[in-house]
Each structure stands twice: as C-alpha cells, then as structure tokens.
C-alpha cells in the first residue's frame, strides 16, 4: 500500500547515493532540499501496531512443538557470505534458524530495490508455517546504511538530535520502517541509543543523537514509536552504553569505567525511554564492566539482570554480533551457548551458525542449557516475530503515509547546524568547491547546480575538508570533525546524502536559515551560534 510513494522517492534518490552512508556522488537526478518551505511531514491513519503480548498463546503453541534442534535454531540470527539467497535459505531450512541478517556484501555494489526484494522474498519463503523468519538489517542511516542504493538515504540519528523535533523524528522513522518493510525486512537494528562523549568516541559519534542523555532519550523514544508504526521491530543498542568508550568493539573489548548502577542517570536513560516506548528488542553490547573487565556484557549475566530488573524490560534481548573482535572467536558455537546461558534470547551472527545451532542443541541435551529457559526465550522471540508479521500484513485503505521526499527534506533543513559565523548566510549565486573527497565534491556540485548555483572556479570558495582553506566549510559527519577549519563560516549537515547537501545549497544561496542546534559539546563547540 506504500510502494507508490516510496518508489517515487527512490527513483529521485537512488542514483545519487553512496553505498556507505547514504551520501551522493553518482550520476542521477538530484532531489531538491526545498527553500525552507517544504511540505509538512505528516503521517495519518497508519495501522495500529500489534504487540508481542497479543501473540503469546500462539507463540507458545509453536515453540512447544519444537524439537531440540528447532528450539536451538530458533534462537540464532545467522549471517552468510556472498550474494544470492540460496545459502541463507539453506540455513533457515536445514538449521532451523530464527532468521538471518542481510549485510552489504550480500548485495551487489549498487543494488536496486527489486534485487533486495527478490532476496528477502526467497528467504521468507524458506519456512511457510510455524515460526516466521526474521529478516534483519543494520540500517541506522548515515554511515551505517547496509542497503546502499536500494533504500531511502536516511540520515544518522545525530541529525534528529540537531533538528530537535519529536514529531518529525517519529514521522521520519515511520517512513524508514515502511521502506524497509516494503523491501521485505522485519527487523532493523536501530535506533542507536548511546550517548556520545564527542571526539573520544571512536565507534558511535554521529550515530548517536547527541551528548545529553535526556535529549538522546527523547529522540530514541520517538524513533521507537516510528519504527513500531512502520511495521518493523526495532532494537535499542548498545546496552549499557557505548558512546563514552574509546575502543571500538569491532576491534577489541572496550571497558566502561562506570558500573551499570553508576550509569543510571546518564547512559541508561535512552534505554529506559526505549523500554517505556515499547521497544520490542534491546541489543546487549560487547562492553566490559568494572567488575568484569575481560567479559563483555553480552556474556555477563549481571548485565542481563540489570536490563530486566532495573529497566523492567520483558522483551527480546539480542547480542551484538558474535563475530566481532570483542568476543573470543571460535567456530565451535561456544559464544552462542555462553550468551544464551548469560541471559540473551537471540544470538546474533555467530561465526558459524550451523556450529552454533549444534552447540546449543548439545548444551540442551547435556543440561548445560535448561529446556524450560530456552522455551521461554523462544516464546519471546516468536511472539515478536508474529506481531511484526501481522502488523506488516495489515492493509488500511484509509492510510495516508507521509511523502518520503518531503520528510527527508524537512529533516535536512531543520538539522543543518552552523558551527561558525552567522545563522543566515549572506547568500551567493556562485561557488567553487576546493576541498574534500571527489565523491563528496561531485555530490555537492550536483546539489548546488540543482539549487540554481553556478559551480566553477569563481564565486564563494567552499571546502568539504577542515584542512583546506576556504570562505565556507561544510561538514558531512560529526560536527567536531570540522574543528580545525579556518573558514569564517562553517556548517554541518551530519551526512552527505542528497537531501542534506541540498539543504546546504539552499543555505549558501541565502534561502534557508540553518536552525539546527548543536547536539553535543566539545572543545571549540562554543563558537557555534544559537540559531533557534
């Protein structure tokens, strides 16, 4: 029921988006970011989301019929190498997996929506009764955008922190969830619920809504509501908080200097707001704690107990990817067993899904894992899957979804943040782009020309790099990356997608006042004016 609006928006943006963070640069039609008078982003009469509690009895009937192998597999989300669906289909059929996650390397370099839909349809058809197949994706927006040109170019969460508009956050994440649902996905591992500390945060940065825990909590709650309304199960991550850590858990085990109790009034606030908003899933991070510095929270029973008892969460707890370097790597499935024993309901991306299923089934057989405990876990997982499937199958002919292009334009305009200089640029009719990567320079050229600016060797000099001298500096990532610029005027769009750069072009013309608020403090951030 939503394909027409989404397909129209994708047709305008697909050829202008990069494979990584939704940035532009390839040939194609550039959408206009408007001139500060974009159409209102409203979404009306969306179907009422169904909750896992509505399917508790049906889930119990399904899980109670599982063999040991089926029970073990139902608690694993697998990953695979290569393109095409057959390996994933085999994993679901032969290993009884609860689902799979689609990563960028499962798709072509510039995938189409049709390619993705064919893939997800084949995987979903691998099991036609009983437990639905979860088809997950890690599509936060910005730098974490696995679907490249197949999906709408969604901004990172920090853009919503800058826009500071709760209704817009919900509308935009509803649009994103509807897009993912139409592509065949049932889970999006978003929103990132970490509170960033700024430049020392090496893993999260722009993925976070900001540096103030209460502000981040508000954005996260509104995002959860949007994903829920759009029919995709969301996951608040990375409990108990990755934004203050200086080691990337993809590369090693970061250790928090604060205990979970000490994080209660800071990093835990966004997770509590997600729980209060009804988030169906929370991702447990690979984060060491002061009393368990060598054990990631994903394998630490105390972390799961805190999430359940301190925050009152009764939904599905999923591990962060078990193939990350923060977890001791082995192909024997031990990590999945240890995660489930610690308190996880879903083991995400074990290095070898078949070995993980065998190991969990063996642990069930020898009593290391108790059947009653695994049954409870599987019932939670299946109830969530049934609720998501039923929500996606609802078809309300009166539904009037928001226009994706108008929504993404409004986000770009409201989030654009001045770092130095005046909120309203004096305006120019010509620019020369003198710094930045070739891809981003091409993207800004396209946005500027679409907005009616002349781009060449004259006019106002604009740099996309803080190290290149120019009159104006334009950031497309975390705001502190532009600290070194000598430009008199500096602005950040938080991303390089077509809508973000379109807003920059309108600001350069003098047609848009940048009203985004800086969502994080760092050395030098006091240069940013208050443009509200």
């Amino acid at each position: 029921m939503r394909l027409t609006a989404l397909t129209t928006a994708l047709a305008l943006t697909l050829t202008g988006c990069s494979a990584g963070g939704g940035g532009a640069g390839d040939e194609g039609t550039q959408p206009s970011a408007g001139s500060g008078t974009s159409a209102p982003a409203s979404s009306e009469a969306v179907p009422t989301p169904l909750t896992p509690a509505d399917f508790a009895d049906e889930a119990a009937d399904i899980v109670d019929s599982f063999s040991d192998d089926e029970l073990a597999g139902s608690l694993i989300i697998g990953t695979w190498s290569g393109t095409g669906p057959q390996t994933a289909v085999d994993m679901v059929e032969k290993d009884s997996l609860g689902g799979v996650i689609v990563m960028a390397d499962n798709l072509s370099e510039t995938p189409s929506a049709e390619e993705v839909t064919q893939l997800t349809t084949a995987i979903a058809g691998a099991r036609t009764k009983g437990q639905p197949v979860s088809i997950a994706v890690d599509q936060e927006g910005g730098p974490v955008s696995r679907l490249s040109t197949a999906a709408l170019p969604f901004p990172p969460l920090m853009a919503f922190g800058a826009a500071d508009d709760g209704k817009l956050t919900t509308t935009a994440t509803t649009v994103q969830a509807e897009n993912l649902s139409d592509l065949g996905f049932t889970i999006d591992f978003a929103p990132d619920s970490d509170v960033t500390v700024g430049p020392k945060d090496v893993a999260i940065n722009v993925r976070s809504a900001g540096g103030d825990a209460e502000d981040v909590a508000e954005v996260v709650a509104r995002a959860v509501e949007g994903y829920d309304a759009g029919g995709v199960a969301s996951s608040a991550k990375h409990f108990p908080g990755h934004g203050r850590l200086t080691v990337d858990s993809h590369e090693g085990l970061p250790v928090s200097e604060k205990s979970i109790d000490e994080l209660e009034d800071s990093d835990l606030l966004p997770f509590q707001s997600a729980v209060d908003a009804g988030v169906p899933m929370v991702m447990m991070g690979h984060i060491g704690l002061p009393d368990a510095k060598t054990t990631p929270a994903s394998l630490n029973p105390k972390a799961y107990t805190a999430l359940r008892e301190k925050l009152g969460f009764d939904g599905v707890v999923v591990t962060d990817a078990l193939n990350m370097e923060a977890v001791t790597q082995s192909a024997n499935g031990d990590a999945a067993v240890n995660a489930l024993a610690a308190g996880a309901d879903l083991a995400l991306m074990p290095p070898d899904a078949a070995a993980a299923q065998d190991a969990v089934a063996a642990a069930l057989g020898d009593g290391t894992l108790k059947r009653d405990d695994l049954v409870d876990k599987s019932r939670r997982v299946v109830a969530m899957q049934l609720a998501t499937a039923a929500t996606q199958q609802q078809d309300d002919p009166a539904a009037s979804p928001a226009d994706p292009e108008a929504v993404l334009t409004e986000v770009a305009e409201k989030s654009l943040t001045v770092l130095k200089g005046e909120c309203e640029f004096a305006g120019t009719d010509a620019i020369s782009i003198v710094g930045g990567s070739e891809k981003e320079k091409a993207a800004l050229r396209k946005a500027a020309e679409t907005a009616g600016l002349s781009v060449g060797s004259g006019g106002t000099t604009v740099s996309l790099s803080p190290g290149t001298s120019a009159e104006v500096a334009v950031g497309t990532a975390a705001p502190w990356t532009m600290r070194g610029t000598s430009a008199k005027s500096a602005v950040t769009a938080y991303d390089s997608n077509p809508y973000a750069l379109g807003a920059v072009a309108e600001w350069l013309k003098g047609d848009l006042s940048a009203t985004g608020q800086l969502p994080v403090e760092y050395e030098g951030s006091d240069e940013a004016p208050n443009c509200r």
Side-chain angles (χ1 to χ4, degrees), residues 9-265:
L10 281 169
L12 290 170
T13 61
L14 287 185
T15 54
C17 307
S18 73
D26 300 326
E27 292 301 317
T29 303
Q30 168 74 31
S32 169
S35 57
T37 57
S38 59
S42 61
S43 185
E44 302 173 358
V46 295
T48 302
L50 299 166
T51 69
D54 297 322
F55 296 89
D57 291 342
E58 184 178 351
D61 290 341
I62 291 172
V63 174
D64 289 349
S65 71
F66 282 166
S67 66
D68 284 1
D69 285 345
E70 290 170 332
L71 181 59
S74 73
L75 305 174
I76 296 169
I77 299 288
T79 186
W80 80 100
S81 298
T83 58
Q86 193 55 53
T87 301
V89 169
D90 290 344
M91 291 165 66
V92 172
E93 289 181 338
K94 297 177 182 178
D95 302 320
S96 303
L97 296 194
V100 296
I101 181 170
V102 176
M103 301 296 286
D105 60 4
N106 300 132
L107 304 170
S108 62
E109 187 174 348
T110 54
S112 65
E114 182 181 11
E115 176 188 339
V116 173
T117 303
Q118 288 176 348
L119 177 70
T120 57
T121 299
I123 297 170
R127 186 160 53 232
T128 57
K129 63 179 181 179
Q131 181 185 18
V133 181
S134 284
I135 305 178
V137 68
D138 200 13
Q139 187 77 2
E140 298 173 17
V144 182
S145 298
R146 312 299 187 190
L147 301 179
S148 182
T149 50
L152 291 171
F154 203 71
L157 207 63
M158 191 170 283
F160 294 97
D164 191 28
D165 184 330
K167 183 177 180 181
L168 179 60
T169 299
T170 299
T171 301
T173 46
T174 300
V175 165
Q176 186 194 23
E178 289 171 343
N179 182 209
L180 295 176
S181 175
D182 286 335
L183 290 171
F185 293 98
T186 63
I187 291 174
D188 187 12
F189 290 118
D192 189 292
S193 304
D194 301 306
V195 180
T196 184
V197 293
K200 292 183 179 180
D201 168 14
V202 298
I204 305 302
N205 51 75
V206 76
R207 299 164 61 190
S208 164
D212 181 276
E214 292 184 355
D215 291 343
V216 174
E218 176 66 18
V219 173
V220 166
R222 301 291 80 78
V224 167
E225 292 172 357
Y227 287 117
D228 196 21
V232 169
S234 60
S235 176
K237 63 183 186 184
H238 310 78
F239 188 87
H242 203 311
R244 66 173 61 248
L245 306 178
T246 58
V247 173
D248 186 342
S249 54
H250 290 87
E251 301 172 358
L253 179 63
V255 178
S256 172
E257 295 180 355
K258 294 188 176 183
S259 68
I260 290 179
D261 285 343
E262 292 172 323
L263 295 173
E264 188 169 357
D265 294 329

Side-chain angles (χ1 to χ4, degrees), residues 340-364:
L340 294 172
D345 297 317
L346 275 174
L348 176 63
M349 299 174 70
D352 184 327
Q357 188 235 24
D358 289 342
V360 173
L364 180 58

Side-chain angles (χ1 to χ4, degrees), residues 429-511:
D429 58 7
I431 64 170
S432 56
I433 305 171
V434 296
S437 70
E438 292 304 314
K439 178 175 285 188
E440 287 197 335
K441 286 194 289 185
L444 181 56
R445 171 185 286 273
K446 186 182 293 293
E449 290 176 342
T450 299
L453 289 169
S454 174
V455 183
S457 58
T460 302
T461 53
V462 178
S463 175
L464 289 155
S465 168
T468 303
S469 179
E471 295 170 82
V472 177
V474 174
T476 57
W480 55 82
T481 61
M482 302 305 289
R483 284 179 299 173
T485 183
S486 60
K488 292 183 179 180
S489 296
V491 68
T492 184
Y494 302 97
D495 197 23
S496 57
N497 72 64
Y499 298 97
L501 294 181
V504 170
E506 295 294 338
W507 178 77
L508 287 169
K509 286 174 60 181
D511 290 344

